[in-house]
Amino acid sequence: MSRILCAWSPSWAICNWRRRNPSSSPASPFALLETVRAVRRLSAVNVEAARLGLHPGQKAADAFALVPELAAAEAEPGADAAALTALADWCVRFSPAVAPDTPDGLFLDVSGVDHLWGGEAAMLADFQMRLFANGLAFRCAIADTPGAAWALARFGQDGAIAPPGGQAALLAPLPPAALRLETQTWTQVERLGLRRVGQLLEIPRAPFARRFGQAALTRLDQALGRAEEALTFRRPPTPWFARLAFAEPISAPEDLARVTFDVCARLCARLEAQGFGARQFEICFHRLDGKALPLAIGLALPGRDAARIAKLFAPRLDTVDPGFGIEVVTLTAQAAEATSGRQARLDSGRETTVEEGLAPLIDRLTNRLGEDRVWRAAPVESHVPELAVGRIAPLARPPPARAWNREAPRPTRLFRRPEPVEAVLALTPDDPPTQFRWRGQLHRVRRAEGPERIGEEWWKAAIDDVRVGHVRDYYRVEDEAGARFWLFRAGLYGDPEIPPKWWLHGLFG
């Protein structure tokens, strides 16, 4: 059974603004302003402003009339969303599956991880303590479903923990708005005198749906666990997760290297026990000040060798700033695949597998230079020469494609961009050139083959963009010195608006 922790801040925007502006005074009434349909309204208010009767959504003019000493600043929704995303990344120390509940909440799937803290109550207390230490005021709750956790965090007792299967009793005294109903729906519910969720639970399902709509019934079922609700996690949840917590913070480089190997060994042992390997690993160092420092590496083939993975992390550990110390290290594995063990030959001449030979080198190059710097060419279905080759991962299986046409060979060196040639002489429009000048040097043609006509891929562009100037006639020519070239003429003779041009596209040999 899943267990969901919901954290909600009634004044997240104010908390985030205070963190960006630490010199502001929290004791005076303060609000953030936004423009909604050309009307200035309050976006968020602090505790003092709420005590004086101000609330989000109120017109700014009315707010200043009620509280003349109100201090205000412009709301920054983009900064609030970025801060919430950063907070979701920080929460990975508690759960590998964190879903932002915009604009001011978080969902954490804490199923199976609470034992690391000694139970859900201890984990929730540690979670709240760390948020409070960083100046963030959050209300939290744990329940079997996201809907129940959301309701308890916002309308129930702060820190409430619903027992497995027992969320209905805790939801019963809450107002209908706790079910995440639309404003019009829960206003109608309260107008009928139904002030508690418990009263809604007593209504038969069919009359309930007819009176309040199927959406309201779905929300009720989601809160009680009768209907599934999917969360969009910040990172896809993965069962391959390992965590190390330290009694005393660490900061020395040799300690970082040691714990990196230790957490890799713990996760790789699980992968090996279940016959899996992973292509991507991310280690995250959690500092005392709450900042998370992630490092990621990738493998060409699924692997689970702890020493090899820790060795790939080693060059990047110098970029980790431990600050006042690292207290928690987490490691997650993504793109896990079932792998089979490889056995060496029984004789003395041990056979080297691909994983033992080429893959470690590719992994080192890729993680040092970047994924876009290490690749190999693969054929692509296209008649256009520069589009007939693509990039794939070094050890990836190339996509199925037709074999090269032996009657139409391609040069060993194809230029990234065709280079113009000058002083081209040809007896007739379809004849190969007898001479051409390239890079200032004149070449006289001794042998030639062609033409090979190649047109553009007109079906990939607008029909108005198709023109004669995109038709190419290619020739394979050899000069008097024996050098071989691949030239083409773009366009056809006889069109005065688009005169043909000659280009050199590649070299043979």
Side-chain angles (χ1 to χ4, degrees):
M1 178 179 294
S2 298
R3 297 290 283 172
I4 304 297
L5 185 156
C6 180
W8 169 68
S9 174
S11 56
W12 163 249
I14 294 292
C15 292
N16 189 35
W17 193 90
R18 294 288 187 195
R19 288 173 60 84
R20 300 195 301 269
N21 302 271
S23 60
S24 60
S25 174
S28 59
F30 179 80
L32 297 179
L33 304 179
E34 63 178 349
T35 301
V36 181
R37 296 181 181 179
V39 178
R40 298 288 285 172
R41 296 183 181 274
L42 302 188
S43 173
V45 298
N46 67 350
V47 176
E48 181 63 19
R51 188 184 65 82
L52 296 175
L54 305 184
H55 57 86
Q58 189 176 19
K59 290 185 178 180
D62 296 341
F64 284 109
L66 292 173
V67 185
E69 68 275 17
L70 176 67
E74 190 68 23
E76 299 180 22
D80 295 336
L84 188 64
T85 300
L87 184 61
D89 291 337
W90 172 83
C91 288
V92 75
R93 67 168 61 205
F94 293 94
S95 170
V98 183
D101 181 29
T102 55
D104 53 6
L106 292 168
F107 286 114
L108 283 73
D109 188 344
V110 295
S111 307
V113 300
D114 59 287
H115 68 278
L116 300 174
W117 284 265
E120 291 179 344
M123 181 185 67
L124 188 59
D126 184 65
F127 182 70
Q128 291 179 306
M129 179 193 67
R130 293 178 185 278
L131 290 174
F132 181 78
N134 285 275
L136 302 176
F138 272 75
R139 291 172 54 87
C140 304
I142 297 179
D144 290 344
T145 64
W150 190 94
L152 293 174
R154 285 165 171 77
F155 296 91
Q157 183 180 0
D158 186 20
I161 300 178
Q167 62 267 23
L170 295 181
L171 292 176
L174 303 184
L179 294 178
R180 296 177 293 173
L181 304 177
E182 296 181 359
T183 304
Q184 182 179 358
T185 302
W186 65 258
T187 302
Q188 179 187 4
V189 170
E190 292 188 343
R191 189 163 54 245
L192 294 175
L194 303 175
R195 306 295 183 184
R196 296 179 293 105
V197 173
Q199 294 173 301
L200 299 179
L201 297 178
E202 298 173 358
I203 302 177
R205 294 176 60 83
F208 184 96
R210 286 196 302 269
R211 170 71 71 172
F212 305 115
Q214 184 62 40
L217 183 61
T218 300
R219 284 301 193 187
L220 182 62
D221 288 342
Q222 288 176 343
L224 297 177
R226 299 170 182 168
E228 295 293 333
E229 179 179 359
L231 296 177
T232 303
F233 293 104
R234 165 69 177 160
R235 296 171 180 168
T238 172
W240 308 112
F241 174 81
R243 176 182 181 273
L244 290 179
F246 315 118
E248 295 291 337
I250 62 173
S251 59
E254 55 272 17
D255 291 336
L256 297 181
R258 175 176 52 81
V259 299
T260 298
F261 175 79
D262 291 343
V263 73
C264 288
R266 174 173 294 189
L267 182 57
C268 289
R270 287 185 53 213
L271 288 168
E272 184 173 5
Q274 300 189 34
F276 277 80
R279 293 178 180 268
Q280 299 172 7
F281 292 86
E282 181 178 87
I283 191 170
C284 195
F285 297 92
H286 300 272
R287 299 195 320 197
L288 282 173
D289 59 1
K291 188 174 183 180
L293 307 174
L295 298 175
I297 59 105
L299 303 181
L301 295 175
R304 53 177 182 247
D305 185 350
R308 175 180 160 201
I309 296 169
K311 188 175 181 180
L312 294 175
F313 278 122
R316 302 189 179 187
L317 295 180
D318 294 338
T319 64
V320 176
D321 179 12
F324 293 103
I326 303 294
E327 58 177 348
V328 175
V329 173
T330 59
L331 179 68
T332 57
Q334 301 288 347
E337 304 176 15
T339 58
S340 58
R342 293 184 174 90
Q343 180 177 354
R345 294 172 55 182
L346 297 179
D347 57 10
S348 57
R350 187 175 185 273
E351 182 181 2
T352 301
T353 64
V354 174
E355 192 173 61
E356 294 173 338
L358 188 58
L361 173 62
I362 292 175
D363 293 339
R364 290 195 297 271
L365 294 176
T366 301
N367 289 283
R368 181 165 297 185
L369 303 178
E371 294 184 4
D372 57 335
R373 300 294 184 88
V374 184
W375 52 273
R376 69 185 181 100
V380 177
E381 292 281 1
S382 178
H383 295 287
V384 182
E386 58 266 30
L387 302 179
V389 176
R391 296 183 179 185
I392 61 174
L395 297 181
R397 179 175 298 178
R402 292 184 302 176
W404 297 110
N405 185 2
R406 297 182 180 273
E407 301 299 328
R410 295 293 182 258
T412 55
R413 180 187 177 191
L414 190 71
F415 296 156
R416 177 174 297 180
R417 296 181 180 86
E419 298 186 7
V421 294
E422 303 171 344
V424 180
L425 294 180
L427 297 179
T428 64
D430 289 335
D431 278 356
T434 58
Q435 73 171 32
F436 63 92
R437 178 178 291 112
W438 175 55
R439 294 183 179 178
Q441 182 177 357
L442 185 66
H443 299 267
R444 298 188 183 277
V445 177
R446 182 172 59 179
R447 297 185 180 90
E449 292 179 320
E452 177 190 351
R453 177 159 294 182
I454 298 177
E456 65 175 0
E457 296 177 339
W458 54 267
W459 57 90
K460 294 184 178 180
I463 192 66
D464 296 336
D465 295 335
V466 180
R467 51 179 58 93
V468 176
H470 294 166
V471 176
R472 305 176 185 177
D473 284 340
Y474 279 85
Y475 297 88
R476 298 182 295 277
V477 303
E478 179 181 331
D479 66 2
E480 295 176 341
R484 302 182 66 197
F485 306 89
W486 203 39
L487 298 96
F488 72 88
R489 184 187 68 247
L492 302 176
Y493 287 105
D495 189 347
E497 297 183 359
I498 307 177
K501 296 181 180 180
W502 286 86
W503 305 83
L504 181 63
H505 205 167
L507 303 175
F508 290 93

